[in-house]
Amino acid sequence: MKSEADVVIVGAGINGCALAYELSKRGKDVVVVDRRHIAAGATGRCGAGIRQQWSTKENALLAKKSVEIFEGLEEELGHPIGFRQGGYLIAIHDEEDMKQARKNVEMQKSIGLPVRIIDREEIKEIVPILDPDGMKAIAATFCPTDGHADPFKTANAYALAAIRNGATFYKFTEVRGIKVENREVREVITDKGSIKTKFVVDAAGAWSSRIAEMAGIKIPNKPVRKEALVTEPLPRIFDAMVISFRHGIYFSQMARGEILGGIPSPEEKIGYHFEPTWSFLKKMAYMLGRYAPILKGTNILRQWTGFYDVTPDALPVLGEDKNVRGFIHCHGFSGHGFMIAPMTARLLAQLITGEKLDLPIERLSLERFEKGTVKEKSVVG
Amino acid sequence: MRSYEETGVVDIGMLKMPAEEQLRKGVAITECIQPIPCNPCKEVCPTDAIKMDDINDPPDIDYEKCIGCSLCVEVCPGLAMFVVRKRKGKAQITLPYEMLPMPERGDIVKALDREGNVVGDAKVIAIKHGRTNIITIEVDEELAMVVRNIRVEK
Amino acid sequence: MRVEQHPILKFSHGGMIKFYFNGIEMYGFEGDTIATALYANGIKVFGHSAKKKRPRGFFCGIGKCSSCMMRVNGVPNIRTCITPLQEGMIVESDKYDLPETAPYRKPERKTMDVDIAIVGGGPAGMAAAIEAGKHGDVSVLIIDEQPRLGGQLIKQTHKFFGSSMEGAGKRGIEIASEMEEEARKYADILLETSVIGYYNRGHHFLAAVNKLKGIVYEIKAKKIIFATGAQENYLVFENNDLPGVYGAGGIQTIMNVYGVKPGKAGIIVGAGNVGLILAYQLLQAGVKVKAIVEAMPRIGGYFVHAAKVRRHGVPIYTKHSIMEAVGKESVEGAIIAQLDEKWNFVLGTEKKIDCDFIAIAIGLTPSARLAQMAGAKVKFIREAGGWVALHNEFMETTANGIYIAGDAANIEEASAAMVEGKIAAVHALNSISPLTNFEAIVEELRNEISSLRKGKFGEKARLAKERIYEGYYEELRGNRSG
């Protein structure tokens, strides 16, 4: 194991891999440490949707910038990422929804997103198997540049490109401690050896609070069990991601034709509960049947769990810690880490190398929780 | 490595040969040579001629005690028991037969060796129907230790 | 393609049933599965794959491989090898399109509450049910996805080794029907029902589905015994997906259970006991066996099984393997060749054998996934056949009240599977309500199983079990300290 590095990233999920790439591109000597392997946590378990339709301008901008990166990412990294833009179709269930949708669309348009409100007929044109009655939808918003990428391929593509730039990945290596002296990060201690460094990045997803604790930092994140399922492959039917903030459901059709989606589990629990639940399976199957009746009778191949790393306002924590110099927060993505990873990685790389940031990230600092926050409303899963 | 593990054909040298006199009386020949946890032959033997200290031991036949009754031929799960009796220049071989078609008494069938080669003709002289049908055939005496199967061509 | 006469088996076919295959009227017998009825009509190709349009037929014959899936009465992806044929059924090759309307009716929901739930009604599962019923007053439920009980026993026409006391010398089929009769006295039985998942809902809970009848079972159980068996290993060679390449067990199923021949002449890959026994069973059904090929330098199965087929003139080629299956829509031949010390084919030794099927008999992998879902820790143990659920001497896994028995616990033989089932049942019973003679019963069973594992052929099982127990206790210690 290397004894020294410019930056040690804890966690080889999408954010750890993307940041390793962005830093290595800037000539930094980067080490990524993961207890398991690339995309073993939330990244490899997520729906991997990429959405720009957010209720706050900051989030929408962050997502938009990410999509711009996604669009050229295969070329940049030199590996396939399975990116496609089939759009996000977000159900509008009643007048109240409609009011919020109009507000959102107006803001989203102002930053240049091609989003629009569509009627029930158009819902069926875009996703022919949807039943607006079953969905209880009066309309929907649709942004055709939203999309999806393969989470395994994307994380691996970032990792491979980072490795080409000189980054080192230590898989199946567990961080046991972080040495802090004079309120500065000095060393990361793992079960395979120690690495001296000035920067440690906490990109450990649902386990980020444990990593922060090693540096004496308390963060308010909670691991929340989420579940997803995938059906048998079907012929190609639709390209969009279908979601509803009211029902919490999301689903889309994958490259091989299988339908992958999730919904909040009735047995949802905070804590490290890995077991999938029967109530999720029943609820998701029922809702899928309501949204797309033709899917009734379709076999479900698998269900699995993963964790959202959830903050009180459902927004990520980004930036350097105010008390421990060199400790970089890169967590709390609350279920949206994948879609904004290209941009957050770029911003954090800019922060670490002292460049000017493309977007401000102060509002996402850990300190915001002391002041009180506004919760992001556009959340599913 | 023993050659039978490669070929599936027993090396006759490995078998305990009865004396001529015992063969004239008719005795069971066991071709069960590996340790297998199995003992029905020992249990069924009416004269306690089969020695087996542990269930995994291959059966060891006492040719003095064996009366050639062929109960072990019928019961053996591995179809590895035969009775051979030499009489008047002929050898009578009792063997298990679980195939179709079944021959009839008096039929002339093909006599096969341990590799399924035809080595001569055999006359069916007895058939006993049971859990495993057993058939007694008559072949030339020099084939007593060669023939272990028949083929019925109907 | 039906077996007309058989020296051991009597096939009592039920009445004629009319069905349609891709619009063509065909007939099968009551008691057939869709796959066996198609076979009896000479249909080997059930469909073509979605992407590359490769022909597809059945492979495993026991519902584990999904190679035989077809659209039945409009429902896509039905495993035809375990689905009973019914009058007027519309059986179609899948076109991979969406049906016009969902082939769906609201399922009936049934809840059950039992003391011991047993998943799998093979030798281990049936033995467990009988043992539990004999020693205690408990409710026992067996769930199996096959149309009948017996697991792989119902296709074993050969006589079993073992002690005379335990019914050695009997054929598997006889043991199966005796055990079934006995098991029915003590247990409720759900057939054609697949357990689709285990969930911990504060108690042990299984979700099971009878897809054809449209019933969802929600089963609460105090203890669960997973006797889920194993599945056939696969081998990589060119054209290995052609219809006509079968798992050994699949052939045994259609031939010995349903009386349908897999073809006219075939070769067998693997000279372990399964391959050798299969060869003999094929001969009995009137099917030619052209060769048995074995990659190892020696025959893996018992010598007596090898001798049985050798004296019928079947050659066994050790240090040989299959290079290629020949054929367009189904198997028309096989190319075999010799292997060198590094397992590479020796060029120039290729032999083409004309045959219309190829049986793969290269071992089994335990089906331990349900137990794993129930929280049992699994570990890769080569001697046991792959990923197995760690368990102790009482067959209890690292998950409390979750047991595993039979091939699911370690690839072994039916007799060992039965004793394991019994041990699991007695331990489960004892932890529900203590038995006065628990120690004595268990000791006797444990003696029985160790005598089965004695000797050279028991070596692998002994080693596997040692490593499984070791892993179990390591895991237990780890949990305590962590």
Side-chain angles (χ1 to χ4, degrees), chain C residues 125-138:
Chain C
M126 287 194 296
I130 296 166
E131 195 75 1
K134 270 187 181 164
H135 290 293
D137 182 19
V138 286

Side-chain angles (χ1 to χ4, degrees), chain A residues 9 11-22 32 38-39 154-156 158-159 162 169:
Chain A
I9 298 170
I14 185 66
N15 277 287
C17 291
L19 182 54
Y21 167 74
E22 290 290 348
V32 182
I38 290 169
T154 309
N156 268 299
Y158 266 126
F169 279 69

Side-chain angles (χ1 to χ4, degrees), chain A residues 129 227 232-235 237 255-256 267 275-279 281-282 293-299 303, chain C residues 51 75-77 96-104 109 196 198-201 205 207 211 216 218 373:
Chain A
I129 58 170
E227 297 185 70
E232 60 196 345
L234 300 169
I237 311 164
R256 275 180 63 243
E267 290 174 54
E275 311 82 20
T277 68
W278 175 232
S279 48
L281 188 60
K282 286 203 291 189
I294 197 72
L295 297 180
K296 289 178 180 182
T298 300
N299 288 314
Q303 68 176 124
Chain C
K51 263 193 200 154
V75 185
N77 291 346
Y96 308 101
D97 54 355
L98 266 191
E100 298 270 308
T101 52
Y104 170 83
R109 193 170 136 238
I196 59 163
Y198 165 93
Y199 301 91
N200 192 328
R201 320 196 81 198
F205 174 92
K211 201 170 169 183
V216 174
E218 299 189 326
M373 194 179 179

Side-chain angles (χ1 to χ4, degrees), chain C residues 154-391:
Chain C
I154 57 172
K155 45 179 111 156
Q156 303 312 333
T157 51
H158 64 287
K159 295 190 283 189
F160 277 46
F161 297 127
S163 140
S164 313
M165 316 246 291
E166 290 295 320
K170 280 189 190 163
R171 301 182 194 280
I173 39 171
E174 296 165 343
I175 300 172
S177 55
E178 283 173 20
M179 286 181 83
E180 168 161 13
E181 198 179 313
E182 192 83 351
R184 285 189 182 277
K185 284 189 216 158
Y186 298 115
D188 288 323
I189 290 154
L190 295 178
L191 293 175
E192 292 164 34
T193 304
S194 306
V195 171
I196 59 163
Y198 165 93
Y199 301 91
N200 192 328
R201 320 196 81 198
H203 51 260
H204 296 312
F205 174 92
L206 294 171
V209 171
N210 183 323
K211 201 170 169 183
L212 233 67
K213 288 196 183 132
I215 309 171
V216 174
Y217 295 95
E218 299 189 326
I219 303 157
K220 178 181 173 183
K222 288 199 181 82
K223 310 280 170 189
I224 299 175
I225 300 172
F226 288 106
T228 38
Q231 65 193 79
E232 208 93 47
N233 288 342
Y234 209 50
L235 191 63
V236 177
F237 56 91
E238 200 169 331
N239 276 338
N240 65 358
D241 63 338
L242 270 187
V245 177
Y246 309 120
I251 295 182
Q252 291 186 327
T253 307
I254 64 163
M255 183 170 72
N256 296 344
V257 181
Y258 299 97
V260 175
K261 293 181 193 179
K264 292 189 184 76
I267 70 158
I268 295 172
V269 182
N273 279 326
V274 173
L276 297 172
I277 289 168
L278 175 67
Y280 191 71
Q281 293 176 346
L282 283 161
L283 297 173
Q284 288 181 312
V287 180
K288 281 203 184 75
V289 181
K290 292 274 186 84
I292 302 175
V293 295
E294 168 60 58
M296 300 295 283
R298 68 180 73 190
I299 294 163
Y302 292 141
F303 163 73
V304 291
H305 285 321
K308 270 162 59 178
V309 294
R310 288 292 283 125
R311 58 182 185 254
H312 282 282
V314 176
I316 299 177
Y317 297 102
T318 51
K319 290 191 202 158
H320 274 71
S321 191
I322 180 166
M323 285 181 99
E324 187 183 334
V326 183
K328 263 191 119 78
E329 281 287 283
S330 65
V331 171
E332 291 160 23
I335 296 172
I336 64 165
Q338 203 180 319
L339 294 169
D340 65 17
E341 269 69 50
K342 289 180 176 164
W343 309 99
N344 294 316
F345 287 110
V346 180
L347 294 178
T349 63
E350 299 89 340
K351 270 193 262 303
K352 161 120 195 266
I353 298 176
D354 289 326
C355 57
D356 61 356
F357 70 92
I358 295 161
I360 308 291
I362 55 162
L364 302 166
T365 297
S367 297
R369 291 192 198 122
L370 265 176
Q372 187 182 8
M373 194 179 179
K377 285 276 179 267
V378 295
K379 194 177 175 187
F380 188 89
I381 296 179
R382 201 168 49 86
E383 294 82 354
W387 290 93
V388 284
L390 299 173
H391 58 79

Side-chain angles (χ1 to χ4, degrees), chain A residues 180 183-185 198-199 320-327:
Chain A
V180 178
R183 299 172 62 170
E184 274 178 25
V185 168
K198 284 200 169 121
F199 289 100
E320 188 170 21
D321 193 79
K322 288 287 167 285
N323 299 314
V324 182
R325 267 186 45 206
F327 190 95

